Amino acid sequence: MSAHILVVGIDGVRLDTARAAHTPHLDTIEREGWLAEFELSTDAPTLSGPTWASVATGLWPRVHGIYGNVFSGHRLDAFPDVFTTAKRRGFTTFVGASWAPLVTTAYGGPMFASPSLLTFADGHTLGHDAADQHVADAAARALGQGTFHASFVYLGEPDEVAHELGTGAEYTAAIERADRRLGQVLDAVRARPRHAEESWTVLVVTDHGHRDEGGHGGRSRWERTAWLAACGAGIGATPPADVSHVSVAPTVLAVLGQPLIGESHLAGTSLIPERHPATVA
């Protein structure tokens, strides 16, 4: 079977709000695998830039050099995102995002340097609801029709709503819209003509939480709490003890059957055992 991994990043989702919201697709992932909460690194403020960089590189801020939402001083040339590493090893990659620094030169980016296929919709220009839907539509087309071994799909609306309106009903609704978009992408994967002959692993992760009134950066209970949900090939029934943002990158390589050649410096460990080398097809 050809191996594939999908990582969905949903920005700024408090776990308590997600638990109370109607999120059937996230609930299914947890039911078929697990969901683990954990605290953010103390290397940097509880902001998006440092945490998504840890997801992308498998390294803490003190190594990748991103401490805020402006990426000046980063070390991404020396420590690239794992999707760039996968592409260099012959795998095809997809990245879709609605936050500019992840995929453009804005604010010192891009964090994800050179995916095989990229889609970007600017949330600040289009509106965050519309931009996330554009990303979900593009991801559903790409993953439903193409052959991508490793994919990252970023949805940012919940974070933006919390900043503007706090963590009330509008925030809950944004989380529920993100869950529907997650379901849209997963449905496209399941509808692939050769899905039964493929091996898929799915991770869903948030970067940080929010204070009740909206906003983050400090170390209050819900600012510093993040979570990761996983299901699919190689994922057991219970999470490992050390789940964190830096678990994602080594898991991507493990799913693809790639030994950590040149990546022995990664801070985290894979969420699945290493496999035999994956077939590039």
Side-chain angles (χ1 to χ4, degrees), residues 224-248:
R224 69 176 187 262
T225 300
W227 52 265
L228 188 155
C231 72
I235 299 297
T238 57
D242 57 349
V243 176
S244 71
H245 287 127
V246 297
S247 302
V248 174

Side-chain angles (χ1 to χ4, degrees), residues 61-275:
R62 61 182 175 271
V63 180
H64 60 61
I66 295 176
Y67 292 93
N69 291 341
V70 177
F71 300 169
S72 57
H74 71 71
R75 303 187 187 100
L76 296 176
D77 290 342
F79 305 112
D81 69 278
V82 71
F83 298 91
T84 293
T85 299
K87 183 183 174 186
R88 289 173 179 170
R89 297 188 187 180
F91 296 94
T92 52
T93 60
F94 171 84
V95 173
S98 57
W99 187 40
L102 296 180
V103 293
T104 78
T105 58
Y107 304 104
M111 184 178 295
F112 296 90
S114 58
S116 305
L117 180 63
L118 167 68
T119 188
F120 169 59
D122 191 344
H124 290 288
T125 301
L126 299 175
H128 299 287
D129 184 3
D132 276 5
Q133 189 59 55
H134 179 95
V135 169
D137 291 343
R141 286 193 301 270
L143 274 63
Q145 301 169 11
T147 302
F148 296 97
H149 301 99
S151 302
F152 179 76
V153 178
Y154 168 91
L155 303 173
E157 187 195 10
D159 182 63
E160 299 294 343
V161 170
H163 278 295
E164 294 174 10
L165 302 171
T167 59
E170 295 91 346
Y171 177 61
T172 299
I175 292 172
E176 292 174 349
R177 285 192 290 274
D179 185 76
R180 289 196 293 273
R181 289 165 181 141
L182 168 64
Q184 177 186 351
V185 176
L186 293 176
D187 286 347
V189 168
R190 297 186 189 107
R192 291 173 56 81
R194 300 184 63 182
H195 183 259
E197 303 167 31
E198 298 171 335
S199 172
W200 282 83
T201 304
V202 177
L203 309 181
V204 183
V205 62
T206 198
D207 52 344
H208 55 70
H210 273 273
R211 299 185 296 274
D212 290 349
E213 68 274 19
H216 54 90
R219 301 294 303 182
S220 68
R221 167 75 172 90
W222 293 115
E223 289 174 275
R224 69 176 187 262
T225 300
W227 52 265
L228 188 155
C231 72
I235 299 297
T238 57
D242 57 349
V243 176
S244 71
H245 287 127
V246 297
S247 302
V248 174
T251 303
V252 170
L253 293 175
V255 165
L256 299 179
Q258 295 297 292
L260 299 182
I261 301 172
E263 283 82 32
S264 59
H265 59 280
L266 294 187
T269 56
S270 170
L271 300 172
I272 66 170
E274 287 192 18
R275 300 178 179 178

Side-chain angles (χ1 to χ4, degrees), residues 10 41 48 86 157 229 271:
I10 309 177
S41 165
S48 293
E157 187 195 10
L271 300 172

